[in-house]
Short mmCIF file of all heavy atoms in Angstrom, two decimals:
data_model
loop_
_atom_site.label_atom_id
_atom_site.label_comp_id
_atom_site.label_asym_id
_atom_site.label_seq_id
_atom_site.Cartn_x
_atom_site.Cartn_y
_atom_site.Cartn_z
N GLU B 48 -17.29 69.08 5.18
CA GLU B 48 -18.03 67.82 4.97
C GLU B 48 -18.17 67.52 3.48
O GLU B 48 -18.09 66.38 3.06
CB GLU B 48 -19.40 67.90 5.63
CG GLU B 48 -19.30 67.92 7.15
CD GLU B 48 -20.66 68.10 7.81
OE1 GLU B 48 -21.65 68.27 7.06
OE2 GLU B 48 -20.75 68.05 9.05
N ASP B 49 -18.39 68.50 2.66
CA ASP B 49 -18.51 68.28 1.20
C ASP B 49 -17.19 67.76 0.63
O ASP B 49 -17.18 66.87 -0.23
CB ASP B 49 -18.86 69.60 0.50
CG ASP B 49 -20.32 70.00 0.79
OD1 ASP B 49 -21.08 69.09 1.24
OD2 ASP B 49 -20.66 71.15 0.56
N ASP B 50 -16.07 68.27 1.10
CA ASP B 50 -14.77 67.79 0.62
C ASP B 50 -14.57 66.33 0.98
O ASP B 50 -14.09 65.52 0.17
CB ASP B 50 -13.63 68.64 1.22
CG ASP B 50 -13.64 70.05 0.65
OD1 ASP B 50 -14.24 70.23 -0.45
OD2 ASP B 50 -13.06 70.94 1.29
N ASP B 51 -14.95 65.98 2.23
CA ASP B 51 -14.81 64.57 2.64
C ASP B 51 -15.70 63.66 1.79
O ASP B 51 -15.30 62.55 1.40
CB ASP B 51 -15.19 64.41 4.12
CG ASP B 51 -14.19 65.10 5.05
OD1 ASP B 51 -13.04 65.32 4.57
OD2 ASP B 51 -14.55 65.37 6.19
N ALA B 52 -16.90 64.19 1.54
CA ALA B 52 -17.83 63.39 0.73
C ALA B 52 -17.27 63.19 -0.68
O ALA B 52 -17.37 62.10 -1.27
CB ALA B 52 -19.20 64.06 0.68
N ARG B 53 -16.68 64.27 -1.22
CA ARG B 53 -16.13 64.15 -2.56
C ARG B 53 -15.00 63.13 -2.58
O ARG B 53 -14.89 62.31 -3.49
CB ARG B 53 -15.60 65.51 -3.03
CG ARG B 53 -16.68 66.49 -3.41
CD ARG B 53 -16.08 67.66 -4.17
NE ARG B 53 -17.03 68.74 -4.29
CZ ARG B 53 -17.13 69.76 -3.43
NH1 ARG B 53 -16.30 69.83 -2.39
NH2 ARG B 53 -18.03 70.71 -3.61
N ARG B 54 -14.12 63.27 -1.52
CA ARG B 54 -13.02 62.31 -1.48
C ARG B 54 -13.54 60.87 -1.36
O ARG B 54 -13.04 59.95 -2.00
CB ARG B 54 -12.09 62.65 -0.32
CG ARG B 54 -11.17 63.83 -0.60
CD ARG B 54 -10.07 63.90 0.43
NE ARG B 54 -10.58 64.11 1.79
CZ ARG B 54 -10.81 65.32 2.32
NH1 ARG B 54 -10.59 66.42 1.65
NH2 ARG B 54 -11.27 65.41 3.57
N ALA B 55 -14.57 60.75 -0.50
CA ALA B 55 -15.14 59.39 -0.33
C ALA B 55 -15.75 58.89 -1.64
O ALA B 55 -15.58 57.71 -2.02
CB ALA B 55 -16.21 59.41 0.77
N ILE B 56 -16.43 59.80 -2.31
CA ILE B 56 -17.03 59.42 -3.59
C ILE B 56 -15.95 59.06 -4.60
O ILE B 56 -16.07 58.07 -5.35
CB ILE B 56 -17.93 60.55 -4.11
CG1 ILE B 56 -19.17 60.68 -3.21
CG2 ILE B 56 -18.34 60.29 -5.57
CD1 ILE B 56 -20.03 61.88 -3.51
N LEU B 57 -14.88 59.88 -4.63
CA LEU B 57 -13.79 59.59 -5.57
C LEU B 57 -13.14 58.25 -5.26
O LEU B 57 -12.84 57.45 -6.16
CB LEU B 57 -12.74 60.72 -5.52
CG LEU B 57 -13.17 62.07 -6.12
CD1 LEU B 57 -12.10 63.13 -5.85
CD2 LEU B 57 -13.44 61.92 -7.61
N GLU B 58 -12.92 58.04 -3.92
CA GLU B 58 -12.31 56.76 -3.55
C GLU B 58 -13.24 55.60 -3.92
O GLU B 58 -12.79 54.56 -4.42
CB GLU B 58 -12.02 56.75 -2.03
CG GLU B 58 -10.90 57.70 -1.63
CD GLU B 58 -10.71 57.73 -0.12
OE1 GLU B 58 -11.52 57.04 0.57
OE2 GLU B 58 -9.79 58.42 0.36
N LEU B 59 -14.53 55.78 -3.63
CA LEU B 59 -15.50 54.72 -3.98
C LEU B 59 -15.53 54.49 -5.48
O LEU B 59 -15.58 53.35 -5.96
CB LEU B 59 -16.88 55.12 -3.47
CG LEU B 59 -18.02 54.12 -3.78
CD1 LEU B 59 -17.71 52.76 -3.14
CD2 LEU B 59 -19.35 54.65 -3.27
N ARG B 60 -15.48 55.61 -6.25
CA ARG B 60 -15.49 55.48 -7.72
C ARG B 60 -14.24 54.75 -8.19
O ARG B 60 -14.31 53.90 -9.09
CB ARG B 60 -15.57 56.87 -8.35
CG ARG B 60 -15.66 56.85 -9.87
CD ARG B 60 -15.76 58.27 -10.40
NE ARG B 60 -16.97 58.92 -9.89
CZ ARG B 60 -17.19 60.26 -9.96
NH1 ARG B 60 -16.30 61.04 -10.49
NH2 ARG B 60 -18.33 60.77 -9.49
N GLN B 61 -13.09 55.09 -7.56
CA GLN B 61 -11.85 54.42 -7.94
C GLN B 61 -11.93 52.92 -7.64
O GLN B 61 -11.51 52.07 -8.43
CB GLN B 61 -10.66 55.04 -7.21
CG GLN B 61 -10.32 56.44 -7.71
CD GLN B 61 -9.21 57.09 -6.90
OE1 GLN B 61 -8.78 56.52 -5.88
NE2 GLN B 61 -8.76 58.27 -7.33
N ARG B 62 -12.50 52.64 -6.40
CA ARG B 62 -12.63 51.22 -6.05
C ARG B 62 -13.59 50.51 -7.01
O ARG B 62 -13.35 49.37 -7.41
CB ARG B 62 -13.12 51.08 -4.60
CG ARG B 62 -12.04 51.40 -3.57
CD ARG B 62 -12.42 50.83 -2.21
NE ARG B 62 -13.62 51.46 -1.68
CZ ARG B 62 -13.65 52.55 -0.94
NH1 ARG B 62 -12.51 53.17 -0.64
NH2 ARG B 62 -14.78 53.03 -0.49
N LEU B 63 -14.65 51.21 -7.37
CA LEU B 63 -15.60 50.61 -8.31
C LEU B 63 -14.95 50.37 -9.67
O LEU B 63 -15.17 49.32 -10.31
CB LEU B 63 -16.84 51.51 -8.47
CG LEU B 63 -17.81 51.53 -7.30
CD1 LEU B 63 -18.90 52.57 -7.53
CD2 LEU B 63 -18.43 50.15 -7.09
N GLU B 64 -14.17 51.40 -10.08
CA GLU B 64 -13.49 51.24 -11.37
C GLU B 64 -12.49 50.07 -11.31
O GLU B 64 -12.40 49.28 -12.25
CB GLU B 64 -12.77 52.54 -11.74
CG GLU B 64 -13.72 53.66 -12.12
CD GLU B 64 -13.00 54.96 -12.40
OE1 GLU B 64 -11.76 55.01 -12.15
OE2 GLU B 64 -13.64 55.93 -12.86
N GLN B 65 -11.75 49.97 -10.19
CA GLN B 65 -10.80 48.85 -10.06
C GLN B 65 -11.52 47.52 -10.00
O GLN B 65 -11.11 46.53 -10.63
CB GLN B 65 -9.95 49.05 -8.79
CG GLN B 65 -8.98 50.23 -8.87
CD GLN B 65 -8.23 50.46 -7.57
OE1 GLN B 65 -8.53 49.79 -6.56
NE2 GLN B 65 -7.29 51.39 -7.59
N THR B 66 -12.64 47.55 -9.23
CA THR B 66 -13.41 46.30 -9.13
C THR B 66 -13.97 45.92 -10.49
O THR B 66 -13.94 44.75 -10.91
CB THR B 66 -14.55 46.46 -8.13
OG1 THR B 66 -14.02 46.80 -6.85
CG2 THR B 66 -15.36 45.16 -8.02
N SER B 67 -14.51 46.94 -11.20
CA SER B 67 -15.06 46.67 -12.53
C SER B 67 -13.98 46.17 -13.48
O SER B 67 -14.20 45.24 -14.27
CB SER B 67 -15.70 47.95 -13.08
OG SER B 67 -16.19 47.73 -14.41
#
Side-chain angles (χ1 to χ4, degrees):
E48 291 176 357
D49 288 343
D50 291 339
D51 292 339
R53 286 194 192 92
R54 283 194 298 272
I56 291 172
L57 290 173
E58 291 176 357
L59 179 60
R60 183 179 299 166
Q61 290 175 353
R62 286 198 296 271
L63 287 174
E64 289 177 352
Q65 292 176 354
T66 301
S67 177

